[in-house]
Amino acid sequence: AAGNAVSASSHFRRAIQVDPSFAAAYVALAEIYLARGDVGAALEAVRVGIRREPGHVPLHLTLARALREGGDRAEALEVLRRLVDRAPRSVAARLEHAALARARGSWSEALSSYRALLAMAEEGEDVPAEAREDARRYAAALRLLVPELDPTRQECEASPLRAALCAADSAR
C-alpha cells in the first residue's frame, strides 16, 4: 500500500471486503481520497466505517477533517463536540476540537479543551510537548482576551477570598 494511491486504495478496499469491521482501512481509504481532493468519496468511506465501528475515534476524527476540508466547518465542529463527549481522554480529539473551536470563535469550547489537554498532561497522558505548549499559550491568551470565560475571574468581589484569588491571578 506504500506505492501509488490507486494501488493503495485497491488494497484498502480489498481489506474492507475481507473484514468489513476493519476500521483502520476505512480511515486509510478516506485519507487517500482526501489527498486526491475527493471529499465526497472520503465522507462516504468514513461514514460507512462509522456505521460498522461507531466507537473508533480515528474514524470520527477523519470525518471531522473531511467535513472541514469540504467547507462544512460547523458540522465538523459538531462531530468533534460529540467525540470529546464520548472520548474525553482522547488527546487527538481534544487537539482537533480546541483548534477548530478557536478558529470558529467558540472561545469557551476551545478553552475547555485546552485546559483538558493540560490536565491530561499533568496526569501523565502522552500529550506531545508542542501540543502542551500550544495549549498553555492558547489557554493563557483566551483567559486574557476573554476574562469572563475564566471561572476564577467571575464575581471577583463576591468574597474576600475570591478577590484575593483574582488579584493573585492578575499578578501573573
Side-chain angles (χ1 to χ4, degrees), residues 26-48 50 57-80 83 96 100:
Y26 293 100
V27 171
L29 190 57
E31 293 289 342
I32 290 168
Y33 291 140
L34 286 173
R36 290 195 324 217
D38 191 348
V39 173
L43 286 168
E44 178 61 25
V46 79
R47 285 179 172 142
V48 169
I50 288 171
V57 170
L59 280 167
H60 295 274
L61 289 169
T62 306
L63 174 59
R65 179 173 166 228
L67 288 164
R68 188 183 69 237
E69 288 187 19
D72 195 349
R73 293 169 48 149
E75 182 60 24
L77 184 56
E78 194 55 42
V79 166
L80 292 168
L83 183 57
E96 290 295 321
L100 188 53

Side-chain angles (χ1 to χ4, degrees), residues 82-149:
R82 289 189 303 267
L83 183 57
V84 296
D85 283 345
R86 281 194 315 269
R89 306 287 300 171
S90 169
V91 171
R94 287 288 183 177
L95 286 169
E96 290 295 321
H97 175 253
L100 188 53
R102 182 177 42 85
R104 291 199 37 88
S106 298
W107 311 120
S108 61
E109 284 186 65
L111 184 57
S112 174
S113 275
Y114 286 130
R115 284 183 170 163
L117 282 164
L118 293 173
M120 290 176 356
E122 288 173 10
E123 294 165 4
E125 290 285 333
D126 187 19
V127 179
E130 184 177 333
R132 281 193 313 268
E133 187 53 40
D134 285 349
R136 270 190 211 92
R137 187 175 67 246
Y138 286 124
L142 288 170
R143 278 183 44 218
L144 291 173
L145 292 172
V146 192
E148 64 270 11
L149 297 179

